[in-house]
Amino acid sequence: MSDASGVVVKVGSSVSEFEVGDRVITNSDPARLYGHFKSFKTGLGAYTDGVLTQYKVLPEAGLVKIPKDSHLTDEEAASLVCAGVTAWNALYGIKDCFIAGQSVLMLVTGGVSLITLTLARAADAVTIITSSSDEKLKSVQEKYDQAAQHLKF
């Protein structure tokens, strides 16, 4: 498990970006902050211990501060880690990556699809999202993307 949120309870002497009491989320792979994916070996919950613990020691680069005025719950913020990275990699994480203006199909209305929808629209993509629920499609249209094409299955 790599997606977590928590509160900083102690900082090391060389830490400059965080202080006790800061709300944070984990970076799913503290050793890989940018670039193409190469290996699972340094990702949390893969070859290294995950985050299902009461306390976790992580390098400064392994955390992201949640803004003090954020409306996100801990659970919502934690979900950004895995779903956000998955959505980003679906569009940009391969050599022949997505190009602005292309069409992007999201299957169903879960977290990865909604983040992908947001990223794709920001890149001026034609977005198509599917669901078996008219209610969910209406919610997506109202909250995320009025221009998205909606397909009910």
Side-chain angles (χ1 to χ4, degrees):
M1 174 81 43
S2 64
D3 33 355
S5 64
V7 175
V8 175
V9 296
K10 190 172 184 179
V11 296
S13 60
S14 63
V15 172
S16 62
E17 298 296 319
F18 301 99
E19 56 188 46
V20 172
D22 283 343
R23 289 180 62 216
V24 294
I25 58 175
T26 56
N27 175 336
S28 62
D29 189 346
R32 188 179 68 85
L33 301 178
Y34 57 87
H36 294 290
F37 178 77
K38 295 180 180 108
S39 170
F40 280 109
K41 291 186 179 180
T42 56
L44 296 173
Y47 288 90
T48 62
D49 288 340
V51 292
L52 297 177
T53 63
Q54 185 173 359
Y55 297 100
K56 183 74 177 172
V57 176
L58 293 167
E60 188 170 19
L63 297 172
V64 176
K65 192 182 299 187
I66 300 171
K68 291 191 186 304
D69 61 350
S70 173
H71 67 280
L72 297 176
T73 66
D74 287 346
E75 294 81 5
E76 291 168 334
S79 72
L80 294 174
V81 178
C82 190
V85 168
T86 301
W88 180 266
N89 282 327
L91 294 173
Y92 301 107
I94 57 174
K95 187 176 181 181
D96 297 323
C97 66
F98 164 77
I99 299 169
Q102 290 180 320
S103 295
V104 177
L105 172 66
M106 282 75 48
L107 303 175
V108 303
T109 54
V112 173
S113 291
L114 294 176
I115 294 171
T116 303
L117 175 71
T118 302
L119 294 172
R121 287 300 298 150
D124 203 28
V126 174
T127 54
I128 305 162
I129 192 158
T130 66
S131 177
S132 61
S133 164
D134 286 331
E135 183 178 320
K136 287 182 181 179
L137 289 173
K138 182 178 178 185
S139 177
V140 167
Q141 187 173 24
E142 290 172 354
K143 294 179 182 177
Y144 295 95
D145 189 359
Q146 295 179 354
Q149 299 176 36
H150 300 88
L151 300 173
K152 183 177 177 187
F153 60 90

